[in-house]
Amino acid sequence: MTASAPEEERASGLGARRTTSPPSGADGSGGRRGEPGSGLTRAYLFAQRTARALVRGVHTNWRRSLHLRVVSTTLVLSAVVMLGLGYVLVSQVRSGLLDAKIDTAVSDHRAGLNYALAELQESETVDRDRLLYNIVGELTSRSGDTGQFGVFILPSVDDEAGWATGENNSVPQRLITQIRQSTSDQQYHTYTRIEQDGAEEPALVVGAELTHAYELYYVFPLQHEQEILDLVQHTVVLVGALLVVLLGLIALVVTRQVVHPVRSAAGSAERLAAGDLTERMAVQGEDDLARLALSFNDMAGNLQEKIQELEELSKLQRQFVSDVSHELRTPLTTIKMAGDVLFDEREELEPTMRRSVELLQSQVERFEELLADLLEISRHDAGAATLGTESADIRDAVVKAVGDAEQIAEKRGIKVVMRLPADPCTAEYDPRRINRILRNLVVNAIEHSEGRDVVVTAAADRDAIAVAVRDYGVGLKEGEEHLCFDRFWRADPARVRTTGGTGLGLSIAKEDAALHGGWLQAWGMPGQGSQFRLSLPRRSGDELRGSPLPLVPPEFAMGRNFTREGEENP
């Protein structure tokens, strides 16, 4: 019967591992990097920058490349699986080798015990030392020429000499103590390391009590088993590495077959989104990717047809509006001339006829404004609108726009307050179009001010100029700050239009601002009024990055962080 060795000895394999601590400062942690400006410091900083650039490059490629992620994941998972399988395989081989060796060793040791006990019982010689020496020699000869094991007979008392075929220190003290403390004649074994040809190698030691005075030990070198285990480990490592590489190559090829068509589809989609309606994908085979390409091509074809139909319809609509506007000018001119004659003679007409003539004159003027706006919006739609830029002061445009709307404000009892800076606010813009924008904004503010004052503010900074028109009337609901620039849109359709607008003023103003490379934005709150802000670059053609005036009035922006660029940069 055998007793197992301690678990930590069994888990250690065939022999103990030695670890050697590196000398102090060998890893560079305790050394000096050099003084500032030295070659060592520059090399360290260069290596640090290179490492950071490499990490950033890998991270960027990892996020952008599906191919890299799939192949890398396959390699990592394959390596983990191979490590697990290799560990299990090596553990099984190690366990099998050691179990077989233990069984053989215990069997040989039991045979040696039986032989030694028989010799001791049959011999009647008085020279027991000589007898024990002969027993050791006989048992040692059974190991053969290869020296499969060594034999030791040690006395149970430490001060007596023992007989052995090698050094007695091959038997570990823990095994000796375990046998001497045992009350039975069972066998024990453990692992140790022995000196063999000037080198240490693992060994298995089996021992048991021979008589009350002596103990018999067998020492079995495990060098052969260690060589087998090393061969198995090297084979597993080599085969595992080859399998990981092969799996990586397989993943590379398979992923490329999938990723390449996907990349091609992405490129085609980008070109289609950029406006190339003739873009199509190449169809190869009849698999799922081929079906994707066919579906993409069908979608692109249908999209191209629909866009062409819409372009034709839009072109016809623009042409119709332009033609109708031009054709209506001739009869309108005749009607206006006749109306002017009647309007000039209205004092001589009866009261009923005089009122009719005045209504005719106002409606003819409104009709003329509508035709002018339709012609202007058709020019923007056709891309035929041009700028006549010149350097001008935006303060003059504000004063002119307020002056044009003065009569309307007086009729409604509204005061228009101008807050203009003392310094000039010059910029390169088209005065005709900017005057029209400001006039529309001021008139629109008067229309919706509910009898309250209207404030017009101008400001400028190094790169931009801005004009804000603020009213304290009905305001705008959430989402209407964008809808208010749509053609013919009205916040409240039931509301009576007292100023006779055409419904195209803000749409044309938005187009004029965009033509300058500027912004026209709106803010409003129900019951708190609204504010419209026009922002223009000071130099024609420059990109507008910010506005010198806030879009949200300061009293509503408290506690919120607004940038100089405003809340809604287009």
Side-chain angles (χ1 to χ4, degrees):
M1 184 175 182
T2 62
S4 300
E7 287 297 325
E8 64 272 17
E9 298 173 7
R10 181 65 178 271
S12 64
L14 302 183
R17 295 181 179 177
R18 291 184 171 183
T19 58
T20 304
S21 300
S24 176
D27 59 351
S29 59
R32 300 174 63 187
R33 293 178 180 172
E35 298 299 330
S38 67
L40 184 58
T41 302
R42 289 193 297 270
Y44 171 76
L45 294 176
F46 175 77
Q48 190 178 42
R49 288 194 298 267
T50 303
R52 290 178 179 175
L54 181 61
V55 170
R56 285 195 299 268
V58 171
H59 184 259
T60 301
N61 291 331
W62 177 265
R63 288 187 293 105
R64 296 180 178 178
S65 176
L66 175 64
H67 203 175
L68 176 62
R69 291 201 300 273
V70 172
V71 174
S72 300
T73 303
T74 302
L75 288 175
V76 171
L77 293 179
S78 300
V80 171
V81 171
M82 292 308 302
L83 284 174
L85 292 177
Y87 176 78
V88 172
L89 179 60
V90 172
S91 298
Q92 292 295 324
V93 172
R94 178 190 293 113
S95 178
L97 288 174
L98 293 179
D99 289 344
K101 189 65 176 179
I102 290 172
D103 292 342
T104 302
V106 170
S107 178
D108 291 343
H109 184 264
R110 172 56 64 185
L113 276 176
N114 294 334
Y115 170 78
L117 286 173
E119 288 294 322
L120 289 175
Q121 292 174 359
E122 294 177 0
S123 177
E124 298 179 354
T125 179
V126 180
D127 192 356
R128 183 166 296 271
D129 292 344
R130 183 65 180 176
L131 178 59
L132 293 175
Y133 183 81
N134 292 335
I135 292 174
V136 169
E138 177 61 25
L139 295 177
T140 301
S141 64
R142 297 183 180 183
S143 66
D145 297 334
T146 58
Q148 294 181 359
F149 55 83
V151 180
F152 298 87
I153 295 180
L154 300 181
S156 299
V157 183
D158 292 336
D159 57 355
E160 294 188 16
W163 292 264
T165 60
E167 298 293 335
N168 291 350
N169 57 11
S170 297
V171 180
Q173 184 61 41
R174 61 180 178 277
L175 181 60
I176 297 175
T177 303
Q178 186 179 18
I179 292 174
R180 292 179 179 178
Q181 291 177 350
S182 176
T183 59
S184 63
D185 59 349
Q186 68 183 52
Q187 295 170 282
Y188 296 92
H189 67 270
T190 188
Y191 297 98
T192 187
R193 300 190 68 85
I194 61 175
E195 291 287 340
Q196 190 77 8
D197 298 330
E200 283 191 349
E201 62 181 48
L204 173 66
V205 182
V206 182
E209 185 181 74
L210 180 60
T211 64
H212 292 294
Y214 298 98
E215 301 150 3
L216 177 63
Y217 297 93
Y218 274 27
V219 178
F220 296 87
L222 298 178
Q223 185 62 30
H224 179 66
E225 286 75 11
Q226 182 68 58
E227 291 174 355
I228 296 176
L229 186 59
D230 290 342
L231 178 61
V232 172
Q233 289 177 338
H234 294 159
T235 303
V236 169
V237 171
L238 179 61
V239 172
L242 291 177
L243 284 177
V244 169
V245 173
L246 289 176
L247 289 174
L249 293 176
I250 293 173
L252 182 66
V253 174
V254 173
T255 308
R256 181 177 178 81
Q257 292 180 349
V258 178
V259 171
H260 181 70
V262 173
R263 288 178 178 174
S264 177
S268 299
E270 290 174 355
R271 289 186 288 272
L272 183 65
D276 186 4
L277 299 179
T278 61
E279 177 65 27
R280 298 294 185 272
M281 287 183 61
V283 181
Q284 298 178 353
E286 300 179 357
D287 54 9
D288 294 337
L289 294 175
R291 291 175 56 194
L292 173 63
L294 288 173
S295 301
F296 178 88
N297 292 341
D298 292 341
M299 179 194 68
N302 294 333
L303 183 62
Q304 183 179 14
E305 293 178 2
K306 295 298 181 182
I307 290 178
Q308 289 176 348
E309 291 177 2
L310 291 175
E311 287 179 348
E312 291 295 330
L313 179 60
S314 178
K315 183 178 179 181
L316 290 175
Q317 290 176 339
R318 291 195 301 268
Q319 188 65 37
F320 175 77
V321 171
S322 179
D323 293 344
V324 169
S325 301
H326 281 287
E327 293 297 328
L328 288 177
R329 273 191 172 279
T330 301
L332 178 63
T333 302
T334 304
I335 295 173
K336 188 175 188 317
M337 292 174 61
D340 289 341
V341 173
L342 293 174
F343 187 76
D344 291 340
E345 302 294 334
R346 67 184 182 280
E347 297 298 335
E348 300 177 1
L349 300 176
E350 296 179 359
T352 304
M353 294 296 294
R354 183 187 310 126
R355 178 59 181 164
S356 298
V357 169
E358 291 175 351
L359 290 175
L360 174 64
Q361 181 71 12
S362 64
Q363 294 303 314
V364 168
E365 290 177 352
R366 183 179 179 186
F367 192 17
E368 188 176 26
E369 291 178 2
L370 178 60
L371 282 180
D373 288 345
L374 286 174
L375 285 173
E376 186 65 26
I377 205 72
S378 66
R379 291 191 190 98
H380 282 293
D381 290 340
T386 58
L387 288 177
T389 59
E390 60 182 63
S391 180
D393 193 337
I394 196 65
R395 298 180 301 173
D396 297 336
V398 171
V399 172
K400 188 176 186 308
V402 172
D404 293 341
E406 186 175 359
Q407 291 183 351
I408 301 175
E410 289 178 353
K411 289 180 181 179
R412 297 178 62 86
I414 296 173
K415 181 179 179 181
V416 180
V417 180
M418 292 184 290
R419 296 176 180 174
L420 306 179
D423 297 331
C425 302
T426 58
E428 297 176 1
Y429 59 84
D430 187 334
R432 180 180 66 87
R433 295 183 183 276
I434 297 303
N435 290 340
R436 182 169 59 193
I437 293 174
L438 296 179
R439 184 171 62 253
N440 280 328
L441 295 181
V442 174
V443 172
N444 183 72
I446 293 172
E447 172 73 17
H448 298 87
S449 64
E450 298 291 319
R452 300 181 180 88
D453 293 345
V454 173
V455 179
V456 182
T457 307
D461 59 15
R462 184 184 64 180
D463 301 319
I465 59 172
V467 177
V469 181
R470 173 81 163 96
D471 68 76
Y472 298 88
V474 295
L476 296 172
K477 299 178 182 178
E478 185 177 359
E480 292 183 347
E481 64 272 9
H482 302 291
L483 295 176
C484 63
F485 296 107
D486 292 345
R487 300 173 186 182
F488 303 107
W489 180 85
R490 297 179 66 181
D492 184 4
R495 183 182 177 86
V496 178
R497 190 188 298 274
T498 60
T499 57
T502 63
L504 295 173
L506 289 179
S507 299
I508 296 174
K510 183 80 169 180
E511 296 288 348
D512 285 339
L515 195 62
H516 284 82
W519 306 334
L520 181 58
Q521 301 162 275
W523 168 90
M525 184 176 293
Q528 302 296 328
S530 60
Q531 177 165 291
F532 287 77
R533 182 185 68 178
L534 172 67
S535 305
L536 301 173
R538 301 198 73 160
R539 287 173 293 278
S540 178
D542 287 357
E543 181 181 0
L544 184 62
R545 298 182 180 275
S547 178
L549 287 176
L551 177 60
V552 180
E555 61 268 25
F556 293 97
M558 297 300 293
R560 299 169 62 186
N561 293 324
F562 294 104
T563 62
R564 189 181 70 88
E565 289 77 8
E567 298 70 33
E568 296 177 313
N569 290 349

